[in-house]
Amino acid sequence: MLNRLHIATYNIHKGFSSFNQRLIVHKQRDCLRDLNADIVFLQEVVGHHAKHAARFTNWPGGSQHEFFADSVWPESIYGKNAVYESGHHGNAILSRYPIVSWENEDISAHRFESRGLLHCEISIPRWAENLHCICVHLGLFKKGRHTQLKALKKRIKKLVPAYAPLVIAGDFNDWREMTGPAVAHALDLTEVFEFTDGRVARSFPSALPILRLDRIYVRGFHIENASVHHGRPWSKTSDHAALSTSVIRR
């Protein structure tokens, strides 16, 4: 049923387990594929890292987003945010459907944290409008997040038609739960866990989630369900739990 979409978001911690103990990117790929999501929002995705490639014999040959997408998600994009001597990392979106346009907007609030909004339009068969998707990973500090949320709202109001379906997902680093009033109310968005459970999901740390850091916001959809993927095997694959939801186009 093309009106129904299964969406997931996951901070992959650069392909390493909690506390960077083990390279776990292969297990992460298996877990994500088991979710069978149509669209996946990823944060902390490594595009290139020369030192890791030299150190680990099983380091993926290309970008991690290409490694995850291979043979399952025909379309994938990567927004490079943080650049350093050995390589770079950022956000990514994987899709079963054609990505017809995309842009990565720099929303870094200061020089110590490089952040971006990865925004794409996806063409879903028989949909009158393209689906807009924005993958985010906001900063650790309240002032920076406030600036970044202003940039997010500005971008949506400028580039996303009010009638177009919209999904925003990622790591909001919002343990004080201030994102709802700042984003959802201003843009007529619904956070999927607030709709199903009355409150945004606990997603960190993945072994026993306490903090409510990650979000999936939607507009133009009916929300069927929402799930937090924690405990084994997820607790062994990242410090964040993965979130997923099934939605139906209105």
Side-chain angles (χ1 to χ4, degrees), residues 41-80:
F41 297 70
L42 298 175
Q43 303 86 50
E44 293 196 18
V45 178
V46 176
H48 173 70
H49 201 295
K51 290 184 178 179
H52 289 339
R55 178 185 174 190
F56 297 99
T57 57
N58 58 343
W59 184 261
S63 170
Q64 287 182 343
H65 83 284
E66 296 172 331
F67 175 75
F68 280 108
D70 183 43
S71 76
V72 174
W73 292 280
E75 301 278 326
S76 63
I77 55 172
Y78 165 72
K80 178 169 58 177

Side-chain angles (χ1 to χ4, degrees), residues 16-31:
F16 289 89
S17 61
S18 299
F19 307 108
N20 298 318
Q21 293 175 324
R22 294 173 294 123
L23 177 66
I24 205 73
V25 68
H26 299 82
K27 184 62 176 177
Q28 288 176 336
R29 183 171 70 169
D30 291 341
C31 288

Side-chain angles (χ1 to χ4, degrees), residues 23-160:
L23 177 66
I24 205 73
V25 68
H26 299 82
K27 184 62 176 177
Q28 288 176 336
R29 183 171 70 169
D30 291 341
C31 288
L32 278 177
R33 292 183 174 191
D34 287 343
L35 287 184
N36 196 31
D38 298 302
I39 302 170
V40 182
F41 297 70
L42 298 175
Q43 303 86 50
E44 293 196 18
V45 178
V46 176
H48 173 70
H49 201 295
K51 290 184 178 179
H52 289 339
R55 178 185 174 190
F56 297 99
T57 57
N58 58 343
W59 184 261
S63 170
Q64 287 182 343
H65 83 284
E66 296 172 331
F67 175 75
F68 280 108
D70 183 43
S71 76
V72 174
W73 292 280
E75 301 278 326
S76 63
I77 55 172
Y78 165 72
K80 178 169 58 177
N81 296 328
V83 181
Y84 30 84
E85 183 178 353
S86 297
H88 49 83
H89 71 266
N91 299 325
I93 297 175
L94 318 179
S95 174
R96 295 191 190 276
Y97 303 109
I99 297 174
V100 296
S101 67
W102 69 277
E103 182 182 15
N104 191 53
E105 178 183 348
D106 185 354
I107 57 166
S108 303
H110 49 77
R111 64 187 181 92
F112 301 107
E113 286 184 319
S114 299
R115 306 290 181 175
L117 299 176
L118 182 59
H119 178 189
C120 72
E121 293 187 46
I122 298 177
S123 177
I124 311 292
R126 296 197 291 275
W127 285 25
E129 304 89 12
N130 288 336
L131 169 66
H132 286 256
C133 292
I134 302 178
C135 184
V136 305
H137 185 188
L138 301 186
L140 295 172
F141 303 102
K142 179 182 177 181
K143 184 177 179 180
R145 288 196 301 274
H146 179 72
T147 300
Q148 290 158 1
L149 290 171
K150 286 177 62 177
L152 175 63
K153 288 189 286 186
K154 180 179 178 180
R155 181 174 189 89
I156 292 171
K157 290 180 178 180
K158 180 180 179 180
L159 298 176
V160 182

